[in-house]
C-alpha cells in the first residue's frame, strides 16, 4: 500500500495525467521559462494537475475529486511504478547501517537552466550521486544510484580514483640573460686584477711673496701682531 500510494502521488504520474489534459498549453509562464521548455517540465505539469484536482474538490466535493483522480490514474497507459527511491533507501539504510540517509545538494546554472547535484550519505561514506533539473530529481537519482551500489547487500568500497596522467611539461627556452646567469653560476668566476695607477700629485700654485698678505700691525706701537 505504501508503494502504491507513493506511485500515485509521484511527480511523473501527475505529469502524465497533466499531459493527457494538455495542461502545458494553458500554463501562464514568463518568456524565459517558456523558451526553455517550461511547458514540458514535469514539476510544473504535476503542480498544474494538483491545482485542477483541488479546483474539483472545492467545486464538487471530496467524492467527485476522488473518483476523478482514480479514473485518470487507471487510464494511464503504463502501470504504476514505485519511483520513490528515497523511501526505499531509507528502509535499506536503517536495516543495514542503523542510520537515516541524508543528502547534500547544490545547484549550479548551466546556460539558461539550473542543474542540481546531490550526494547521499549514510554516516560518513557517500553512497551515490545524482543529477537533475530540480533538487528532488537529483536526490532521487542519488538514492537510485545508492540502491544499485547496495544490491549485493554490502556497501561497495569506493573505487580508487584513476591516477591523473601527468601533462608533458614544455621546457621554456632560456633567454640570453638566464643562460648567462646559469653559466656564471655553474663555472667559478675568474679573478680579475685591475691595476689602478697612482694619482698624479696636484700641482701646487706658485707662491708670490708680493701676493702674500702683509702682517697686521698694532695701531698703537706699529708692531706686528702675532
Amino acid at each position: 500500500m505504501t508503494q502504491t500510494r507513493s506511485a500515485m502521488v509521484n511527480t511523473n504520474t501527475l505529469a502524465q495525467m497533466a499531459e493527457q489534459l494538455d495542461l502545458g498549453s494553458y500554463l501562464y509562464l514568463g518568456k524565459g521559462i517558456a523558451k526553455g521548455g517550461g511547458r514540458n517540465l514535469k514539476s510544473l505539469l504535476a503542480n498544474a494537475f494538483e491545482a485542477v484536482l483541488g479546483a474539483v474538490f472545492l467545486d464538487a466535493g471530496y467524492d467527485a475529486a476522488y473518483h476523478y483522480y482514480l479514473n485518470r490514474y487507471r487510464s494511464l497507459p503504463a502501470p504504476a511504478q514505485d519511483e520513490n527511491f528515497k523511501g526505499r533507501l531509507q528502509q535499506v539504510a536503517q536495516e543495514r547501517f542503523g542510520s537515516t540517509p541524508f543528502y547534500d545538494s547544490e545547484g549550479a546554472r548551466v546556460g539558461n537552466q539550473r542543474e542540481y547535484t546531490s550526494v547521499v550519505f549514510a554516516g560518513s561514506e557517500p553512497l551515490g550521486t545524482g543529477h537533475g533539473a530540480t533538487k528532488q530529481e537529483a536526490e532521487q537519482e542519488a538514492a537510485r544510484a545508492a540502491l544499485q551500489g547496495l544490491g549485493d547487500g554490502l556497501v561497495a568500497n569506493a573505487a580508487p580514483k584513476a591516477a591523473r596522467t601527468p601533462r608533458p611539461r614544455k621546457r621554456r627556452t632560456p633567454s640570453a640573460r638566464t643562460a648567462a646567469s646559469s653559466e656564471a653560476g655553474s663555472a667559478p668566476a675568474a679573478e680579475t686584477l685591475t691595476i689602478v695607477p697612482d694619482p698624479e700629485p696636484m700641482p701646487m700654485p706658485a707662491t708670490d711673496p708680493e701676493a702674500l698678505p702683509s702682517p697686521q700691525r698694532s695701531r698703537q706701537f706699529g708692531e706686528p701682531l702675532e
Side-chain angles (χ1 to χ4, degrees):
M1 292 295 294
T2 302
Q3 294 180 357
T4 302
R5 172 191 172 279
S6 176
M8 294 179 70
V9 298
N10 187 269
T11 300
N12 294 332
T13 302
L14 299 177
Q16 286 181 343
M17 297 180 185
E19 290 175 353
Q20 288 182 344
L21 299 175
D22 193 22
L23 292 182
S25 59
Y26 295 95
L27 296 178
Y28 184 74
L29 304 176
K31 295 182 180 179
I33 192 172
K35 292 182 179 179
R39 300 188 184 279
N40 298 324
L41 194 61
K42 291 184 179 181
S43 60
L44 293 182
L45 293 176
N47 293 338
F49 182 81
E50 289 179 345
V52 171
L53 186 62
V56 174
F57 169 75
L58 294 176
D59 186 65
Y62 175 81
D63 291 337
Y66 173 78
H67 291 289
Y68 176 78
Y69 179 83
L70 282 183
N71 293 334
R72 287 294 174 184
Y73 180 76
R74 291 169 179 170
S75 64
L76 293 177
Q81 297 181 357
D82 181 21
E83 295 185 357
N84 187 14
F85 299 111
K86 293 179 61 176
R88 292 168 57 186
L89 178 62
Q90 181 174 351
Q91 297 177 0
V92 173
Q94 290 177 348
E95 291 175 359
R96 299 182 184 178
F97 312 117
S99 61
T100 302
F102 62 95
Y103 299 83
D104 185 7
S105 304
E106 292 184 358
R109 183 169 298 278
V110 180
N112 295 330
Q113 298 181 354
R114 193 170 184 84
E115 181 178 352
Y116 289 84
T117 301
S118 180
V119 182
V120 58
F121 294 85
S124 59
E125 295 295 332
L127 300 181
T129 304
H131 307 275
T134 62
K135 182 179 178 181
Q136 291 76 11
E137 292 181 6
E139 292 180 352
Q140 287 286 353
E141 287 297 320
R144 182 183 61 82
L147 289 172
Q148 290 182 350
L150 299 176
D152 296 335
L154 297 175
V155 179
N157 295 328
K161 295 183 180 181
R164 296 179 59 184
T165 304
R167 292 184 178 181
R169 300 182 63 181
K170 298 181 180 180
R171 301 191 62 179
R172 298 176 58 184
T173 303
S175 60
R177 183 177 181 180
T178 306
S181 59
S182 300
E183 293 177 359
S186 59
E191 297 183 359
T192 303
L193 297 178
T194 304
I195 300 176
V196 180
D198 295 336
E200 297 180 358
M202 296 292 294
M204 297 295 293
T207 303
D208 188 3
E210 297 181 357
L212 293 177
S214 58
Q216 297 182 1
R217 297 179 179 272
S218 174
R219 294 181 181 180
Q220 183 178 2
F221 301 100
E223 296 178 356
L225 298 177
E226 294 181 358

